[in-house]
Amino acid sequence: VDAATSRRRSAEVRRAAMRCGDASRRRAVGREHEVVWERPSATDARGLSSTYHEIEVRGASPTPGSLGHVFVTAVAGDHLEGTLLP
């Protein structure tokens, strides 16, 4: 395969992967997800759902490595935003 064809095919695969990721994130909105917390900061926490979506919750500070439940409210670029559930 020549270089131009290889570049074109690679770009097509990247676009398809982006579309699939976008669609998956949109389907996650309005649902509850279990999350493993990875990177809490002073103002928010980020974690990874069981479906491998990054989820951010503002105003939460869970312990890294702990599990929590989040109701996802929005897509924010390449990650999801939500509310920590009790």
XYZ file of all heavy atoms in Angstrom:
650
model
N 0.862 -1.178 0.000
C 0.000 0.000 0.000
C 0.904 1.234 0.000
O 1.830 1.335 0.810
C -0.910 0.009 1.247
C -1.741 1.256 1.301
C -1.779 -1.222 1.289
N 0.615 2.154 -0.891
C 1.440 3.358 -0.960
C 1.138 4.291 0.214
O 0.135 4.152 0.905
C 1.223 4.075 -2.301
C -0.204 4.556 -2.467
O -0.500 5.674 -1.986
O -1.028 3.814 -3.050
N 2.015 5.248 0.430
C 1.935 6.137 1.590
C 0.651 6.968 1.596
O 0.024 7.154 2.646
C 3.154 7.048 1.637
N 0.231 7.481 0.453
C -0.979 8.310 0.389
C -2.215 7.495 0.776
O -3.078 7.968 1.531
C -1.145 8.904 -1.002
N -2.299 6.280 0.284
C -3.432 5.406 0.620
C -3.408 5.062 2.100
O -4.439 5.062 2.775
C -3.396 4.118 -0.229
O -3.476 4.486 -1.609
C -4.538 3.191 0.114
N -2.240 4.804 2.626
C -2.094 4.484 4.044
C -2.551 5.654 4.913
O -3.285 5.459 5.894
C -0.639 4.132 4.345
O -0.469 3.863 5.700
N -2.157 6.867 4.565
C -2.569 8.051 5.316
C -4.088 8.243 5.243
O -4.735 8.548 6.237
C -1.849 9.302 4.813
C -0.418 9.424 5.290
C 0.157 10.800 4.993
N 0.169 11.122 3.568
C 1.115 10.746 2.718
N 2.137 10.025 3.140
N 1.043 11.088 1.446
N -4.657 8.070 4.053
C -6.102 8.233 3.877
C -6.864 7.206 4.712
O -7.812 7.547 5.417
C -6.474 8.090 2.400
C -7.969 8.268 2.138
C -8.337 8.105 0.667
N -7.851 6.885 0.050
C -8.384 5.661 0.217
N -9.426 5.505 0.995
N -7.879 4.615 -0.406
N -6.441 5.954 4.680
C -7.106 4.905 5.454
C -6.980 5.156 6.954
O -7.927 4.957 7.711
C -6.521 3.541 5.103
C -6.917 3.070 3.727
C -6.312 1.722 3.437
N -6.664 1.258 2.111
C -6.144 0.186 1.547
N -5.254 -0.554 2.202
N -6.511 -0.170 0.336
N -5.819 5.601 7.372
C -5.608 5.901 8.786
C -6.539 7.027 9.242
O -7.140 6.957 10.316
C -4.149 6.281 9.014
O -3.915 6.577 10.353
N -6.679 8.053 8.440
C -7.571 9.162 8.765
C -9.025 8.688 8.837
O -9.783 9.103 9.715
C -7.427 10.286 7.742
N -9.425 7.796 7.926
C -10.786 7.253 7.940
C -11.048 6.470 9.223
O -12.115 6.590 9.823
C -11.006 6.348 6.725
C -11.105 7.094 5.415
C -11.131 6.162 4.214
O -11.144 4.915 4.380
O -11.139 6.685 3.082
N -10.076 5.683 9.653
C -10.225 4.904 10.883
C -10.336 5.819 12.089
O -11.173 5.611 12.974
C -9.062 3.901 11.048
C -9.051 3.282 12.436
C -9.142 2.822 9.982
N -9.518 6.865 12.153
C -9.586 7.813 13.264
C -10.945 8.509 13.316
O -11.533 8.665 14.389
C -8.459 8.840 13.179
C -7.098 8.292 13.589
C -6.072 9.393 13.785
N -5.874 10.211 12.609
C -5.066 9.928 11.594
N -4.376 8.798 11.609
N -4.942 10.738 10.576
N -11.473 8.911 12.151
C -12.795 9.560 12.120
C -13.893 8.592 12.573
O -14.789 8.971 13.326
C -13.096 10.100 10.723
C -12.350 11.389 10.388
C -12.888 12.043 9.125
N -12.772 11.199 7.936
C -11.696 11.125 7.151
N -10.629 11.856 7.433
N -11.681 10.340 6.106
N -13.821 7.359 12.133
C -14.822 6.361 12.532
C -14.763 6.101 14.037
O -15.799 6.004 14.703
C -14.617 5.064 11.761
N -13.565 6.009 14.580
C -13.402 5.785 16.020
C -13.958 6.973 16.803
O -14.619 6.795 17.839
C -11.940 5.555 16.367
N -13.741 8.179 16.319
C -14.255 9.379 16.981
C -15.782 9.374 16.967
O -16.415 9.661 17.979
C -13.727 10.640 16.286
C -14.180 11.922 16.940
S -13.426 12.189 18.538
C -11.912 12.909 18.015
N -16.381 9.014 15.838
C -17.848 8.965 15.748
C -18.409 7.928 16.713
O -19.420 8.173 17.385
C -18.288 8.646 14.324
C -18.190 9.820 13.362
C -18.903 9.542 12.054
N -18.444 8.333 11.387
C -17.419 8.249 10.530
N -16.744 9.348 10.232
N -17.088 7.120 9.975
N -17.778 6.768 16.798
C -18.248 5.719 17.714
C -18.150 6.182 19.163
O -19.052 5.952 19.964
C -17.431 4.442 17.527
S -17.824 3.574 16.015
N -17.040 6.835 19.509
C -16.867 7.345 20.865
C -17.888 8.410 21.202
O -18.464 8.412 22.295
N -18.152 9.306 20.264
C -19.159 10.352 20.484
C -20.531 9.740 20.715
O -21.253 10.134 21.631
C -19.223 11.309 19.283
C -17.995 12.195 19.155
O -17.226 12.303 20.139
O -17.808 12.766 18.067
N -20.894 8.770 19.893
C -22.208 8.120 20.025
C -22.319 7.387 21.360
O -23.350 7.443 22.030
C -22.438 7.155 18.871
N -21.253 6.733 21.761
C -21.256 6.008 23.034
C -21.417 6.969 24.204
O -22.182 6.698 25.138
C -19.956 5.212 23.162
O -19.921 4.530 24.384
N -20.721 8.106 24.166
C -20.857 9.101 25.236
C -22.276 9.656 25.285
O -22.851 9.825 26.361
C -19.824 10.218 25.064
C -18.424 9.800 25.495
C -17.457 10.959 25.468
N -17.132 11.380 24.124
C -16.211 10.796 23.357
N -15.536 9.755 23.797
N -15.964 11.244 22.147
N -22.882 9.920 24.132
C -24.256 10.441 24.120
C -25.228 9.424 24.727
O -26.146 9.796 25.451
C -24.677 10.807 22.696
C -24.052 12.098 22.189
C -24.715 12.589 20.903
N -24.681 11.615 19.823
C -23.660 11.447 18.975
N -22.577 12.197 19.089
N -23.729 10.548 18.019
N -25.034 8.136 24.455
C -25.909 7.108 25.020
C -25.753 6.994 26.531
O -26.661 6.544 27.224
C -25.615 5.746 24.381
C -26.157 5.600 22.981
C -26.092 4.154 22.506
N -24.758 3.590 22.548
C -23.844 3.675 21.584
N -24.130 4.316 20.456
N -22.655 3.120 21.710
N -24.609 7.394 27.065
C -24.354 7.285 28.505
C -25.078 8.356 29.317
O -25.270 8.192 30.516
C -22.843 7.373 28.769
N -25.491 9.449 28.675
C -26.173 10.541 29.374
C -27.546 10.064 29.845
O -28.259 9.357 29.136
C -26.316 11.776 28.454
C -27.151 12.862 29.115
C -24.942 12.315 28.089
N -27.877 10.449 31.080
C -29.165 10.086 31.649
C -29.164 8.734 32.334
O -30.216 8.231 32.721
N -27.990 8.169 32.506
C -27.861 6.854 33.132
C -26.935 6.915 34.340
O -26.089 7.786 34.450
C -27.288 5.846 32.141
C -28.181 5.615 30.954
C -27.614 4.581 30.047
N -28.525 4.357 28.934
C -28.260 3.584 27.929
N -27.120 2.926 27.880
N -29.130 3.427 26.957
N -27.092 5.934 35.204
C -26.216 5.795 36.370
C -25.047 4.894 35.994
O -25.222 3.886 35.309
C -27.003 5.163 37.518
C -26.183 5.011 38.780
C -26.981 4.412 39.921
O -28.220 4.567 39.940
O -26.357 3.792 40.794
N -23.852 5.290 36.455
C -22.638 4.526 36.160
C -21.833 4.312 37.436
O -21.733 5.214 38.269
C -21.751 5.286 35.153
C -22.412 5.492 33.834
N -22.274 4.607 32.799
C -23.224 6.483 33.393
C -22.975 5.044 31.756
N -23.561 6.179 32.101
N -21.234 3.138 37.546
C -20.281 2.896 38.626
C -18.930 3.413 38.147
O -18.544 3.176 37.005
C -20.193 1.410 38.949
C -19.305 1.133 40.148
C -19.369 -0.315 40.576
O -19.124 -1.187 39.717
O -19.647 -0.556 41.756
N -18.228 4.107 39.024
C -16.978 4.782 38.655
C -15.868 4.423 39.636
O -16.093 4.379 40.848
C -17.180 6.318 38.650
C -15.893 7.051 38.366
C -18.251 6.709 37.645
N -14.675 4.182 39.107
C -13.460 4.067 39.927
C -12.799 5.432 39.863
O -12.478 5.929 38.780
C -12.495 2.996 39.380
C -11.201 2.988 40.182
C -13.146 1.636 39.375
N -12.601 6.046 41.023
C -12.044 7.408 41.064
C -10.545 7.371 40.863
O -9.843 6.593 41.489
C -12.401 8.085 42.384
C -13.870 8.226 42.510
C -14.689 7.565 43.376
C -14.716 9.042 41.715
N -15.995 7.929 43.160
C -16.036 8.840 42.139
C -14.494 9.931 40.663
C -17.123 9.489 41.569
C -15.585 10.582 40.102
C -16.866 10.362 40.551
N -10.079 8.263 39.980
C -8.654 8.298 39.641
C -7.950 9.564 40.091
O -6.905 9.492 40.696
C -8.479 8.149 38.122
C -8.936 6.814 37.596
C -8.755 6.712 36.106
O -8.819 7.743 35.407
O -8.556 5.594 35.629
N -8.498 10.728 39.739
C -7.765 11.980 39.933
C -8.588 13.057 40.616
O -9.023 14.001 39.981
C -7.293 12.507 38.588
C -6.317 11.612 37.879
C -5.989 12.186 36.543
N -7.201 12.171 35.732
C -7.240 12.075 34.431
N -6.131 12.015 33.760
N -8.383 12.056 33.784
N -8.794 12.966 41.899
C -9.512 14.066 42.551
C -8.611 15.291 42.668
O -7.392 15.176 42.746
C -9.850 13.496 43.925
C -8.838 12.449 44.167
C -8.452 11.902 42.818
N -9.228 16.453 42.613
C -8.498 17.703 42.849
C -9.271 18.485 43.896
O -10.238 17.986 44.456
C -8.390 18.503 41.543
O -9.647 19.027 41.185
N -8.885 19.710 44.125
C -9.561 20.530 45.124
C -10.994 20.864 44.702
O -11.848 21.116 45.547
C -8.778 21.810 45.354
N -11.279 20.866 43.395
C -12.592 21.298 42.922
C -13.417 20.219 42.235
O -14.619 20.397 42.057
C -12.449 22.477 41.941
O -11.642 22.045 40.843
C -11.823 23.671 42.626
N -12.802 19.128 41.816
C -13.568 18.095 41.122
C -12.858 16.748 41.188
O -11.754 16.645 41.710
C -13.842 18.483 39.669
C -12.574 18.684 38.859
O -11.487 18.308 39.321
O -12.668 19.211 37.738
N -13.535 15.742 40.672
C -12.960 14.394 40.647
C -13.196 13.794 39.278
O -14.222 14.056 38.637
C -13.612 13.529 41.719
N -12.242 12.998 38.833
C -12.379 12.277 37.573
C -12.189 10.806 37.838
O -11.355 10.408 38.642
C -11.345 12.734 36.551
C -11.770 13.958 35.813
C -10.984 14.101 34.545
N -11.448 15.274 33.839
C -11.550 15.335 32.529
N -11.197 14.317 31.796
N -11.987 16.420 31.957
N -12.978 10.032 37.121
C -12.872 8.592 37.264
C -13.222 7.907 35.969
O -13.572 8.549 34.972
N -13.146 6.589 35.996
C -13.395 5.774 34.824
C -14.578 4.856 35.111
O -14.587 4.143 36.123
C -12.146 4.957 34.503
C -12.096 4.279 33.154
C -12.100 5.301 32.027
C -10.841 3.424 33.064
N -15.554 4.877 34.211
C -16.735 4.031 34.390
C -16.432 2.606 33.939
O -15.405 2.343 33.298
C -17.911 4.582 33.575
O -17.731 4.312 32.196
N -17.342 1.704 34.247
C -17.162 0.308 33.829
C -17.224 0.164 32.311
O -16.799 -0.844 31.766
C -18.219 -0.581 34.486
O -19.511 -0.156 34.121
N -17.720 1.192 31.620
C -17.751 1.195 30.159
C -16.583 2.001 29.573
O -16.594 2.348 28.399
C -19.087 1.761 29.643
O -19.304 3.046 30.238
C -20.246 0.836 29.981
N -15.604 2.316 30.418
C -14.370 3.008 30.033
C -14.578 4.448 29.580
O -13.793 4.985 28.812
C -13.587 2.216 28.976
C -13.148 0.890 29.510
C -13.878 -0.254 29.237
C -12.045 0.783 30.335
C -13.489 -1.483 29.754
C -11.644 -0.433 30.858
C -12.380 -1.560 30.558
O -12.004 -2.761 31.081
N -15.624 5.088 30.087
C -15.813 6.514 29.839
C -15.197 7.282 30.993
O -15.372 6.905 32.148
C -17.299 6.874 29.769
C -18.012 6.314 28.586
N -17.697 6.633 27.293
C -19.044 5.441 28.503
C -18.487 6.002 26.472
N -19.317 5.256 27.182
N -14.499 8.378 30.662
C -14.034 9.271 31.721
C -15.215 10.114 32.171
O -15.941 10.670 31.357
C -12.916 10.185 31.215
C -11.579 9.518 31.210
C -10.451 10.526 31.095
O -10.406 11.483 31.900
O -9.637 10.346 30.194
N -15.397 10.195 33.498
C -16.501 10.957 34.071
C -15.942 11.946 35.080
O -15.092 11.598 35.901
C -17.518 10.019 34.750
C -18.120 9.056 33.712
C -18.614 10.827 35.434
C -19.113 8.072 34.282
N -16.431 13.178 35.001
C -16.010 14.233 35.915
C -17.199 14.672 36.762
O -18.305 14.827 36.256
C -15.483 15.428 35.121
C -15.015 16.574 35.988
C -14.468 17.708 35.157
O -15.279 18.526 34.689
O -13.253 17.742 34.962
N -16.932 14.854 38.057
C -17.943 15.359 38.986
C -17.343 16.565 39.694
O -16.297 16.459 40.330
C -18.353 14.278 40.013
C -19.307 14.858 41.038
C -18.980 13.092 39.309
N -17.994 17.681 39.576
C -17.514 18.908 40.231
C -17.944 18.920 41.696
O -19.024 18.460 42.042
C -18.051 20.125 39.509
C -17.569 20.184 38.071
C -17.627 21.581 37.524
N -17.245 21.577 36.130
C -15.980 21.640 35.694
N -15.001 21.701 36.556
N -15.710 21.644 34.408
N -17.061 19.436 42.537
C -17.374 19.589 43.948
C -17.301 18.298 44.752
O -17.801 18.244 45.857
N -16.686 17.278 44.193
C -16.556 16.001 44.909
C -15.080 15.707 45.141
O -14.224 16.125 44.362
C -17.178 14.878 44.090
N -14.775 15.003 46.217
C -13.379 14.645 46.492
C -13.297 13.221 47.048
O -12.906 13.027 48.197
C -12.744 15.653 47.448
O -13.516 15.736 48.628
N -13.667 12.233 46.246
C -13.591 10.845 46.707
C -12.144 10.360 46.790
O -11.234 10.965 46.215
C -14.361 10.077 45.643
C -14.222 10.908 44.416
C -14.179 12.328 44.893
N -11.950 9.288 47.491
C -10.624 8.690 47.633
C -10.228 7.992 46.333
O -11.022 7.214 45.797
C -10.643 7.656 48.780
O -11.082 8.314 49.963
C -9.279 7.038 48.988
N -9.018 8.260 45.816
C -8.576 7.561 44.605
C -8.635 6.043 44.802
O -8.282 5.532 45.861
C -7.134 8.030 44.422
C -7.079 9.336 45.131
C -8.018 9.208 46.297
N -9.147 5.354 43.789
C -9.264 3.912 43.841
C -10.577 3.423 44.412
O -10.908 2.248 44.295
N -11.347 4.326 45.031
C -12.642 3.918 45.584
C -13.689 3.898 44.475
O -13.509 4.467 43.406
C -13.071 4.855 46.711
O -13.352 6.147 46.213
N -14.801 3.230 44.747
C -15.911 3.156 43.803
C -17.000 4.134 44.208
O -17.215 4.387 45.389
C -16.499 1.746 43.778
C -15.609 0.637 43.260
C -16.303 -0.709 43.412
C -15.245 0.876 41.806
N -17.674 4.664 43.218
C -18.805 5.538 43.462
C -19.823 5.379 42.357
O -19.556 4.739 41.329
N -20.988 5.950 42.561
C -22.042 5.923 41.549
C -22.339 7.347 41.129
O -22.459 8.243 41.965
C -23.289 5.232 42.092
C -23.095 3.764 42.239
N -23.453 2.868 41.268
C -22.534 3.038 43.222
C -23.138 1.648 41.659
N -22.570 1.731 42.847
N -22.444 7.535 39.813
C -22.643 8.862 39.233
C -23.814 8.813 38.267
O -23.942 7.863 37.487
C -21.370 9.314 38.481
C -21.601 10.609 37.722
C -20.207 9.462 39.437
N -24.661 9.846 38.323
C -25.694 10.023 37.317
C -25.124 10.989 36.293
O -24.786 12.133 36.624
C -26.982 10.584 37.924
C -28.072 10.710 36.915
C -28.803 9.598 36.528
C -28.351 11.929 36.330
C -29.799 9.706 35.581
C -29.352 12.053 35.379
C -30.076 10.939 35.000
N -24.982 10.543 35.046
C -24.363 11.361 33.997
C -25.390 12.335 33.432
O -26.502 11.951 33.054
C -23.775 10.468 32.890
C -23.295 11.310 31.714
C -22.629 9.641 33.441
N -24.988 13.601 33.390
C -25.890 14.668 32.953
C -25.523 15.288 31.608
O -26.371 15.907 30.973
C -25.926 15.789 33.999
O -24.591 16.267 34.217
C -26.518 15.294 35.311
N -24.256 15.136 31.167
C -23.858 15.812 29.932
C -22.580 15.223 29.351
O -21.772 14.621 30.061
C -23.635 17.299 30.203
N -22.421 15.440 28.057
C -21.164 15.158 27.369
C -20.382 16.465 27.361
O -20.925 17.520 27.046
C -21.405 14.690 25.912
C -20.093 14.526 25.169
C -22.206 13.406 25.887
N -19.113 16.390 27.705
C -18.255 17.582 27.723
C -16.980 17.259 26.948
O -15.975 16.855 27.522
C -17.941 17.994 29.139
N -17.044 17.394 25.633
C -15.882 17.068 24.816
C -15.638 15.576 24.785
O -16.479 14.799 24.372
N -14.471 15.166 25.328
C -14.087 13.760 25.290
C -14.426 13.025 26.580
O -13.986 11.902 26.782
C -12.618 13.626 24.983
C -11.735 14.224 26.066
O -12.255 14.942 26.942
O -10.519 13.977 26.034
N -15.188 13.655 27.476
C -15.571 12.996 28.714
C -17.018 13.322 29.076
O -17.681 14.072 28.360
C -14.620 13.384 29.856
C -14.722 14.818 30.269
N -14.090 15.834 29.598
C -15.406 15.398 31.275
C -14.364 16.990 30.188
N -15.182 16.748 31.206
N -17.484 12.733 30.137
C -18.841 12.940 30.614
C -18.821 13.731 31.910
O -17.836 13.689 32.641
C -19.526 11.579 30.871
C -19.618 10.658 29.670
C -20.024 9.265 30.111
C -20.608 11.210 28.655
N -19.901 14.437 32.198
C -20.056 15.137 33.472
C -21.280 14.578 34.174
O -22.243 14.164 33.518
C -20.225 16.638 33.239
C -18.974 17.284 32.717
C -19.114 18.784 32.540
O -20.262 19.301 32.537
O -18.088 19.444 32.420
N -21.215 14.566 35.491
C -22.345 14.014 36.217
C -22.397 14.472 37.654
O -21.620 15.311 38.097
N -23.337 13.861 38.373
C -23.591 14.167 39.766
C -23.335 12.925 40.602
O -23.816 11.832 40.245
C -25.071 14.583 39.943
O -25.330 15.688 39.094
C -25.358 14.976 41.374
N -22.580 13.086 41.676
C -22.291 11.972 42.569
C -23.560 11.558 43.287
O -24.289 12.391 43.827
C -21.219 12.396 43.574
C -20.664 11.316 44.485
C -19.990 10.214 43.678
C -19.678 11.924 45.471
N -23.842 10.276 43.276
C -25.025 9.738 43.969
C -24.627 9.249 45.355
O -23.491 8.812 45.550
C -25.637 8.596 43.162
C -26.167 8.987 41.781
C -26.605 7.758 41.012
C -27.310 9.968 41.921
N -25.562 9.288 46.309
C -25.235 8.820 47.670
C -25.028 7.316 47.722
O -25.418 6.578 46.887
C -26.451 9.223 48.486
C -27.513 9.640 47.528
C -26.890 9.818 46.208
